Amino acid sequence: MNQMVRGLHKVCHRGVSLLTPSSLSPPIFLCLKLGRVPGHLRTHSIKTTTAMTASRLHHLVPIHSVSSKNDGTNGSLSSSNAVATEDEDNLEGRYRLPPPEIREIVDAPPLPALSFSPQRDKILFLKRRALPPLEELARPEEKLAGLRIDGKCNTRSRMSFYTGIGIHQLFPDGKLGQEIEIQGFPDGAKLNFVTWSQDGKHLAFSIRIDAEDSSSSKLRVWVADVDTGKARPLFQSPDIYLNAIFDNFVWVNNSTLLVCTIPLLRGDPPKKPLVPLGPKMQSNEKRDIIQVRTFQDLLKDEYDEDLFDYYATTQLVLVSLDGTVKEIGPPAVYTSLDPSPDEKYILISSIHRPYSFIVPCGRFPRQVGVWTTDGIFVRELCDLPLAEDIPIAFNSVRKGMRSINWRSDKPSTLYWAETQDGGDAKVEVTPRDIIYTQQAEPVQGEGPEILHKLDLRYGGISWCDDSLALVYESWYKTRRTRTWVISPGSKDVAPRILFDRSSEDVYSDPGSPMMRRTSTGTYVIAKIKKENDEGTYILLNGNGATPEGNIPFLDLFDINTGSKERIWESDKEKYYETTVALMSDQTEGDLYLNQLKILTSKESKTENTQYYIQSWPDKKSCQITDFPHPYPQLASLQKELIKYQRKDGVQLSATLYLPPGYDPSKDGPLPCLFWSYPGEFKSKDAAGQVRGSPNEFPRIGSTSVLLWLARGFAILGGPTTPIIGEGDEEANDRFVEQLVACAEAAVEEVVRRGVAHPSKIAVGGHSYGAFMTANLLAHAPHLFCCGIARSGAYNRTLTPFGFQNEDRTLWEATSTYVEMSPFMSANKLKKPILLVHGEEDNNSGTLTMQSDRFFNALKGHGALCRLVILPFESHGYAARESIMHVLWETDRWLQKYCVSNTADRSTDLKVSKDDESKGAPHLQNKTVAASGGGGTEADFEHDGCHLAPRSSL
């Protein structure tokens, strides 16, 4: 939590996209129409589940991914090259453009990202471009240890960037001064890792320039004077380049940075032997039990190991703003750098051999040590062995020290957690985790002190001072989450539980403490004072989930008595407002309630997000941004939070979007697109709770289904699709039954409202949503006329050691794996389905092979289907050519098989019931052999190197 808030003054993103070899290939099409060849399509969108505060930083840092630059062309695809008259028998493989009403929205220039200075007196406007051309994704990349590396730049591949930086003074009245543009770097430079110095006087950032000369493409570190806007290279030598495979650089103090550089004597990359020294071998002669979800882009042989070392090895360098340079330690694969709050020490992590061919680099042997900021090694904290054997059960973790950090309220005190269950969540033990603390340089013979013991899994600490810290723990299987109040400096004060609740119960969420910046640049819990009151108060910032939608709030909370006073709440009628950050923490000392300043955001169904500063005691609001509506042609779209009920009584909800000017009483029902993503729950009550707000601004991404509002569709966005397993019941054992029940309830509701034509409802989803789509077309053909499935996994036997939130293996839950797999029901799927997949999908579990094999299974049973493989694309699609083509495919599919559908839904319902009466083949007692690699769409993995995004609208 501290790190998230700390990111408010540090803009550093590392876009993890991907590239592949040379020439640009058109999309690959495979299609079948009952023995003939028709068209086929599918789309994707990305859902990120984050804390409320983080989710509201739409234009604020931390920014982990930014869009590409807007150079006026928006890529290399021209309309004359892409638009052609469709020949039903000759849908040749070349890129197409969607209709203009969709294309214009996608090509709209992106808004800048914002970053506030540590002193809250300046704002950076970080300028971005629109979608990148496909040629950028086609750059060669190395796939090593779970990473994708651009060898030419020596960084992660497909990294997005900024094109410019503007600085504005922020005056006390909320007005912005004239823009000062950062100048001095070359035209066409791509900027990354923009970072404030702690005193707010300088910016550091990296620059790269695309050039044939490989050395010119490598990243260089630059610094800029904030007052003048003048930028210059940090290093005087032109031969020092940034190595950004893992960490990049950090400010040690206001005049010194610690930089990860490419070793000067590195030489050329190793050459792959023409003839291998021997076969590739793996052995388990010790009979170890090692279960891993199927990762991609792993090391394969000794050559890969050498290549990984070549690109990832870093020489740490201390460099001052005056150009003084000093090397720190030997070259190694350093993965993180973290200066202590007092600027005396640096916590440095690295990985080393032996490497693994079955897990990514996050599980490689890891060494953590303490160094002084002048380059002297102090001590080693740990050297963790290779972690191939972390159990697949949720809440399983690595053995040994983990989550090692500096206390943000102390000069140089370390803390960390150690598991007591061997890292295995299935082992019953108490305590399960112990939190330790120790000085950076302890007195000789002084060991670590126990700070706190936990019976659930440790989840972090929010520090305040010696009298107050909040410790978090949780357990996934029961969804239990607890918050402890501890007094770190008083051993005689017993820890006590502040909150003990279900993580699924959003209505009971009390909120998270707001943090204030310290003089050392760290963030601690903000203590608030009231006049003539000696109480200890903090601010709790919450989503405010209610049956009517989220109503964010700010509570003044007495940490000792538990009493609270609501001092701010979002407008309920028209607007959706959130608190983003504390703005009155520039000075040391107590913060008084009547002097409070808060950065808030405000938006509505028709008004884009704007940012304000609210000042107490009168709560005067000053608007500081004025962003235009990004797609004015849809400014008057209609949006409504609707509620309905599943046949078993579970309450459901969705967001219904309707085109501008649409009136169901005059215009009649519309074709409708249903787009969803299933979620697992332990409680029916929690599953039925409303999430989100009807007043949020409808953000339309480049592959969003909301684009079809411009084509006259009704859109049912994010209809809740809970898969519930109460008590000891496993949710997935009734996956299909509950999935169909959710879909039936949603379809009945939009038909009842008269906004959707019952024979013209399409279903779609991305990743696990694609898996959902295929299952619904197979098991509920009476509900939908066609489907669109993007980047999905359809055969669960290819993910034998768990998938999504399923942590049983194929051999422990064979019938569940088989019955959930739409691949096993390919013979039942009779409705048109469009499959889309990136050719270079690196998400765990959603191998491109999944769509290939599913298409072949469908084709083998005469299904009406189309498969589109996008060259160079990963799990999410990035290039303009690819995105435009996916939109064209999707629109074509919807126009042909949804808008033009004349089938009678009652006939489909009769056929569906006949199929049910005949019974589906049962495979519960049969062993199903996996026919290839596996994986998971789970959006987290123990110590993994990259996260797999979930998907939504």
Side-chain angles (χ1 to χ4, degrees), residues 70 199 260 529 678 869:
N70 181 9
D199 61 6
C260 297
K529 292 281 189 178
I869 303 296

Side-chain angles (χ1 to χ4, degrees), residues 551-571:
I551 305 173
F553 63 83
L554 193 62
D555 281 349
L556 187 67
F557 182 80
D558 189 318
I559 200 72
N560 294 318
T561 67
S563 63
K564 57 186 177 182
E565 174 190 353
R566 187 140 300 178
I567 63 171
W568 178 90
E569 187 174 68
S570 170
D571 177 86

Side-chain angles (χ1 to χ4, degrees), residues 424-645:
D424 189 348
K426 292 184 177 180
V427 173
E428 295 296 333
V429 65
T430 183
R432 191 172 290 277
D433 272 339
I434 296 179
I435 307 168
Y436 295 93
T437 183
Q438 190 177 39
Q439 294 296 315
E441 288 192 80
V443 177
Q444 188 172 8
E446 184 180 77
E449 293 185 12
I450 294 177
L451 179 68
H452 193 46
K453 297 180 180 180
L454 300 169
D455 287 335
L456 308 181
R457 188 63 79 204
Y458 168 70
I461 301 179
S462 293
W463 298 96
C464 183
D465 52 31
D466 272 339
S467 67
L468 174 63
L470 300 181
V471 180
Y472 309 100
E473 64 173 339
S474 63
W475 198 247
Y476 177 76
K477 275 292 185 184
T478 59
R479 308 302 198 270
R480 189 178 186 185
T481 178
R482 296 196 295 196
T483 302
W484 291 83
V485 177
I486 64 170
S487 298
S490 303
K491 294 183 179 179
D492 56 337
V493 178
R496 60 186 175 87
I497 293 176
L498 184 64
F499 305 121
D500 188 350
R501 46 182 292 274
S502 168
S503 60
E504 291 183 338
D505 182 9
V506 293
Y507 291 171
S508 71
D509 187 351
S512 301
M514 293 205 75
M515 314 298 283
R516 65 169 293 172
R517 185 180 183 273
T518 69
S519 59
T520 62
T522 63
Y523 281 79
V524 299
I525 296 173
K527 276 188 176 180
I528 305 298
K529 292 281 189 178
K530 293 174 69 176
E531 296 291 345
N532 304 316
D533 190 333
E534 296 301 319
T536 301
Y537 297 96
I538 65 174
L539 296 172
L540 291 181
N541 179 17
N543 286 328
T546 74
E548 286 69 48
N550 288 357
I551 305 173
F553 63 83
L554 193 62
D555 281 349
L556 187 67
F557 182 80
D558 189 318
I559 200 72
N560 294 318
T561 67
S563 63
K564 57 186 177 182
E565 174 190 353
R566 187 140 300 178
I567 63 171
W568 178 90
E569 187 174 68
S570 170
D571 177 86
K572 303 176 184 179
E573 302 304 321
K574 179 180 179 182
Y575 291 101
Y576 178 70
E577 302 170 282
T578 69
T579 57
V580 179
L582 194 61
M583 299 292 282
S584 51
D585 59 351
Q586 303 96 326
T587 59
E588 290 292 299
D590 294 332
L591 296 177
Y592 283 89
L593 180 61
N594 61 5
Q595 298 173 354
L596 203 61
K597 286 187 178 181
I598 301 288
L599 177 69
T600 64
S601 69
K602 184 177 182 179
E603 62 195 83
S604 73
K605 298 175 185 178
T606 58
E607 297 173 53
N608 201 359
T609 304
Q610 308 297 346
Y611 293 94
Y612 297 76
I613 293 179
Q614 297 236 358
S615 302
W616 270 251
D618 57 2
K619 300 182 184 178
K620 180 182 178 182
S621 181
C622 299
Q623 183 173 342
I624 61 175
T625 62
D626 188 18
F627 295 124
H629 198 295
Y631 18 89
Q633 58 271 59
L634 291 179
S636 58
L637 65 80
Q638 303 172 57
K639 177 184 177 184
E640 180 185 359
L641 176 67
I642 65 172
K643 302 176 188 177
Y644 47 98
Q645 187 171 288

Side-chain angles (χ1 to χ4, degrees), residues 100 114-115 136 192 270 273 335 419 430-431 440 494 526 564 633 821 827 856 871:
L114 303 187
S115 172
E136 288 193 9
N192 290 95
T335 56
T419 179
T430 183
K564 57 186 177 182
Q633 58 271 59
S821 298
N827 61 318
N856 287 330

Side-chain angles (χ1 to χ4, degrees), residues 20-26 95 134-135 137-140 839 871-872:
T20 38
S22 55
S23 62
L24 302 185
S25 306
Y95 291 100
L134 187 61
E135 63 184 2
L137 272 66
R139 290 174 54 133
E839 193 172 28
F872 307 117

